Amino acid sequence: MEEVLCNVELVKDNNNFIARIQSDFGGMREYKSTNFEEVLEQMTMDLQEEFDSA
């Protein structure tokens, strides 16, 4: 059985990369940077902390 844990949206707006995450545990949050790897790292760390504590 599958269960959706979160929704992730990755967007490029001019020079900025934006990651938007929505989950039942953490709600809606957004990360923004001109560096794509930095956005992915922030997003990954946040999700790892959220699901490690669930």
Side-chain angles (χ1 to χ4, degrees), residues 1-19:
M1 180 176 151
E2 290 182 11
E3 177 182 358
V4 175
L5 298 176
C6 68
N7 290 307
V8 176
E9 180 180 353
L10 297 169
V11 179
K12 183 172 184 196
D13 182 25
N14 294 322
N15 293 331
N16 288 314
F17 293 97
I18 303 167

Side-chain angles (χ1 to χ4, degrees), residues 8-11 17-21 28-33 36 39-40 42-43:
V8 176
E9 180 180 353
L10 297 169
V11 179
F17 293 97
I18 303 167
R20 294 185 186 111
I21 302 172
M28 178 67 136
R29 52 245 193 242
E30 182 176 290
Y31 308 95
K32 186 185 294 186
S33 176
F36 185 64
V39 168
L40 289 178
Q42 291 173 349
M43 180 183 72

